[in-house]
Amino acid sequence: MEKLSKAIDNFWERLDNINLINEINAEEKYNDIQKLSKFNKVIALNSLNDLDQSKDLGHLEREFYKLALSYIYGGHIELKFNEATIYKIYTDTVEFYIHCEGYRREDELNIKDPIMYHRNNGKLGLKDVPYLPVMTLNAHGSGYDITFETPHSKYRASALIRKYTITNGEDELIYRECTSKGKEGQFEPILRDHRSTLLYDILNGFPLTRDNGSSVLWIDDSIEYNMKLKVSSRANVFISSDEEKYKRTNLKDLRPWQFNICQDRKEIKDKKGK
């Protein structure tokens, strides 16, 4: 966990030096986005390759890339019961979400991402939702986030585990029933499971007592930073016409905040030979 925590600290340190653009002079050129917020106009401009207008946003996305390398190649989640490792979860695709609470000056990074679950939106019954510690698992309707929020700058930030690989404690691939392919009763190894909510079947058993030998932990692995990631937009996320409440439009959110592993994990071997 030490390596990833350091990567997150470096992310926030670099983010403090990023400024969002002050002016957008494209009102006449892009009439279809007139009613959207200022930041959402930046998103649309990005999708049209008007990169001169959005250098600071590009800086942020490069920082996401660096952090994604740590989430995907730099470690894994282990579930231990009675001191024994039962499951290992390797992240294969991660999606970033980041939302600034409250008002910020025009020269500050003022990102609004109202689709985020954990923020001040009234749904949790609190006016000010507490900031989660770095590396907290946050379960919600779409699966699990790994949070890296910061109360100092009032950012809610998280990485959604979108796709993943599950092994047992010996790094043998977990087999699942192939009912979705009409092969009921047959099993096959799951290399990259894209059903994020099915992590609930595996990622559970959080102990309510201490010192019982059971835990859910992030384990740092060695990482080679020459590894590559495929970058794309987040799945099923649309631009919101409101900055605080998610009111989806028909415009796809094209911010390139999804990062995917490009190759199979050489260290994960199917020892069953199937």
Side-chain angles (χ1 to χ4, degrees), residues 246-259:
Y246 184 56
K247 298 179 180 179
R248 62 167 281 181
T249 66
N250 292 325
L251 292 174
K252 181 75 167 62
D253 189 335
L254 296 176
R255 285 179 285 191
W257 291 1
Q258 183 185 101
F259 300 86

Side-chain angles (χ1 to χ4, degrees), residues 158-225:
S158 63
L160 173 67
I161 303 173
R162 173 64 70 179
K163 297 180 183 179
Y164 50 91
T165 296
I166 300 175
T167 75
N168 61 20
E170 302 299 322
D171 268 341
E172 297 172 329
L173 288 168
I174 296 296
Y175 279 67
R176 282 190 172 170
E177 194 167 356
C178 307
T179 54
S180 62
K181 297 182 180 179
K183 302 177 182 178
E184 188 171 356
Q186 299 184 34
F187 292 78
E188 67 177 12
I190 301 298
L191 294 176
R192 296 179 190 171
D193 203 319
H194 65 277
R195 299 164 292 183
S196 57
T197 54
L198 288 189
L199 267 182
Y200 296 136
D201 296 340
I202 299 293
L203 193 50
N204 56 29
F206 300 97
L208 295 177
T209 58
R210 298 181 180 179
D211 301 325
N212 63 354
S214 301
S215 60
V216 179
L217 298 172
W218 175 269
I219 305 298
D220 284 322
D221 294 327
S222 60
I223 181 173
E224 298 180 8
Y225 280 95

Side-chain angles (χ1 to χ4, degrees), residues 15-244:
L15 184 60
D16 284 340
N17 298 321
I18 300 173
N19 295 320
L20 189 63
I21 61 175
N22 292 327
E23 299 293 337
I24 298 175
N25 300 313
E27 297 290 342
E28 296 180 0
K29 188 175 181 180
Y30 303 110
N31 293 325
D32 58 328
I33 58 173
Q34 288 290 317
K35 296 182 180 180
L36 298 180
S37 68
K38 180 176 180 179
F39 184 73
N40 282 332
K41 291 176 183 177
V42 179
I43 302 169
L45 288 172
N46 261 356
S47 69
L48 296 169
N49 296 319
D50 196 346
L51 299 180
D52 290 338
Q53 294 282 347
S54 53
K55 292 180 180 179
D56 295 314
L57 186 59
H59 187 176
L60 173 65
E61 289 155 1
R62 288 191 293 274
E63 299 303 324
F64 277 156
Y65 190 99
K66 296 175 185 177
L67 194 54
L69 285 171
S70 294
Y71 276 107
I72 293 176
Y73 293 113
H76 63 275
I77 298 171
E78 284 194 8
L79 280 73
K80 293 181 178 292
F81 292 93
N82 296 323
E83 304 293 346
T85 298
I86 305 300
Y87 297 117
K88 295 182 181 180
I89 301 171
Y90 296 85
T91 301
D92 294 332
T93 296
V94 65
E95 290 181 348
F96 286 102
Y97 295 80
I98 182 168
H99 180 80
C100 176
E101 300 279 17
Y103 173 79
R104 294 173 71 82
R105 301 193 314 267
E106 289 295 319
D107 61 343
E108 293 180 311
L109 197 66
N110 192 30
I111 297 177
K112 299 296 183 181
D113 202 9
I115 198 173
M116 283 198 71
Y117 285 91
H118 191 257
R119 60 184 182 84
N120 294 341
N121 58 7
K123 291 184 178 180
L124 298 179
L126 297 174
K127 181 179 179 181
D128 295 312
V129 176
Y131 286 83
L132 294 173
V134 169
M135 296 296 290
T136 296
L137 277 176
N138 179 38
H140 51 69
S142 297
Y144 280 100
D145 282 340
I146 304 174
T147 67
F148 55 107
E149 303 182 355
T150 169
H152 172 71
S153 299
K154 296 185 178 180
Y155 276 115
R156 309 287 183 174
S158 63
L160 173 67
I161 303 173
R162 173 64 70 179
K163 297 180 183 179
Y164 50 91
T165 296
I166 300 175
T167 75
N168 61 20
E170 302 299 322
D171 268 341
E172 297 172 329
L173 288 168
I174 296 296
Y175 279 67
R176 282 190 172 170
E177 194 167 356
C178 307
T179 54
S180 62
K181 297 182 180 179
K183 302 177 182 178
E184 188 171 356
Q186 299 184 34
F187 292 78
E188 67 177 12
I190 301 298
L191 294 176
R192 296 179 190 171
D193 203 319
H194 65 277
R195 299 164 292 183
S196 57
T197 54
L198 288 189
L199 267 182
Y200 296 136
D201 296 340
I202 299 293
L203 193 50
N204 56 29
F206 300 97
L208 295 177
T209 58
R210 298 181 180 179
D211 301 325
N212 63 354
S214 301
S215 60
V216 179
L217 298 172
W218 175 269
I219 305 298
D220 284 322
D221 294 327
S222 60
I223 181 173
E224 298 180 8
Y225 280 95
N226 61 346
M227 305 297 285
K228 301 297 182 182
L229 297 172
K230 179 182 177 181
V231 183
S232 60
S233 60
R234 298 174 295 181
N236 302 319
V237 178
F238 292 82
I239 291 176
S240 174
S241 60
D242 190 286
E243 289 187 338
E244 298 299 332

